[in-house]
Amino acid sequence: MIVVDTNILAHFWLPSDSSELCDELYQQDPQWVAPILWRSEFRNVVTLYLRKGLIDLSEALLIMEKAELQMKNQQFQVNSVQVLHHVSQSTCSSYDCEFVSLAKNLDLELITMDKKLLREFPNLARHPKKVIDS
């Protein structure tokens, strides 16, 4: 089981140059968890794809449905005190620190491509390439 941030989910469900990497990550460990925040962030990414004409509305709806099905019972509330504690010890956003908090609470790795998270939480955050190569 691993905590994945929204970018990992987006690259997994939407066409990108990192989709294959995220597919490999899923093959290696398909039990992904995330804070409930992932849904709002993911909807925003789907909206960007829709507005840029990269997908149409029917594709957007199907992708959202599949992602929500994948993450059903795999999404968790996080504690605001813990999130703000991580915010105070980093320059990461409170959104990013929700993923950090969940990973710490569940004693799991946070898989992300976010350079700031990788830099500021090196003992917790890992790039999917490093997970696959290990």
Side-chain angles (χ1 to χ4, degrees), residues 25 39 69 100 115:
L25 178 67
R39 279 181 169 198
L69 185 59
V100 170
K115 290 178 181 152

Side-chain angles (χ1 to χ4, degrees), residues 30-78:
Q31 197 169 8
W32 292 2
V33 297
I36 291 172
L37 169 70
W38 81 268
R39 279 181 169 198
S40 294
E41 289 188 331
F42 190 81
R43 275 192 290 264
N44 197 48
V45 176
V46 171
T47 298
L48 290 173
Y49 271 66
L50 184 62
R51 290 194 173 146
K52 287 184 176 184
L54 300 171
I55 58 174
D56 62 24
L57 180 58
S58 64
E59 290 171 305
L61 293 169
L62 183 60
I63 288 166
M64 195 70 219
E65 181 182 356
K66 286 181 177 182
E68 287 177 339
L69 185 59
Q70 174 192 10
M71 297 304 289
K72 184 178 180 184
N73 301 322
Q74 300 296 107
Q75 49 198 344
F76 298 88
Q77 293 278 0
V78 292

Side-chain angles (χ1 to χ4, degrees), residues 1-12:
M1 181 184 300
I2 55 177
V3 176
V4 295
D5 72 1
T6 305
N7 288 321
I8 298 296
L9 286 161
H11 289 298
F12 182 74

Side-chain angles (χ1 to χ4, degrees), residues 83-98:
V83 171
L84 292 173
H85 174 76
H86 297 308
V87 166
S88 74
Q89 296 186 333
S90 72
T91 62
C92 294
S93 71
S94 61
Y95 301 119
D96 287 341
C97 288
E98 287 202 24

Side-chain angles (χ1 to χ4, degrees), residues 7-26 32 49 113 127-129 132:
N7 288 321
I8 298 296
L9 286 161
H11 289 298
F12 182 74
W13 285 107
L14 295 157
S16 79
D17 57 353
S18 297
S19 293
E20 188 175 318
L21 179 63
C22 292
D23 286 342
E24 288 179 45
L25 178 67
Y26 185 77
W32 292 2
Y49 271 66
M113 291 185 225
H127 193 281
K129 184 97 172 115
I132 292 165

Side-chain angles (χ1 to χ4, degrees), residues 110-126:
L110 167 58
I111 310 305
T112 181
M113 291 185 225
D114 185 295
K115 290 178 181 152
K116 188 183 282 190
L117 279 171
L118 291 166
R119 183 180 64 247
E120 296 205 27
F121 295 96
N123 295 328
L124 181 75
R126 289 182 67 198

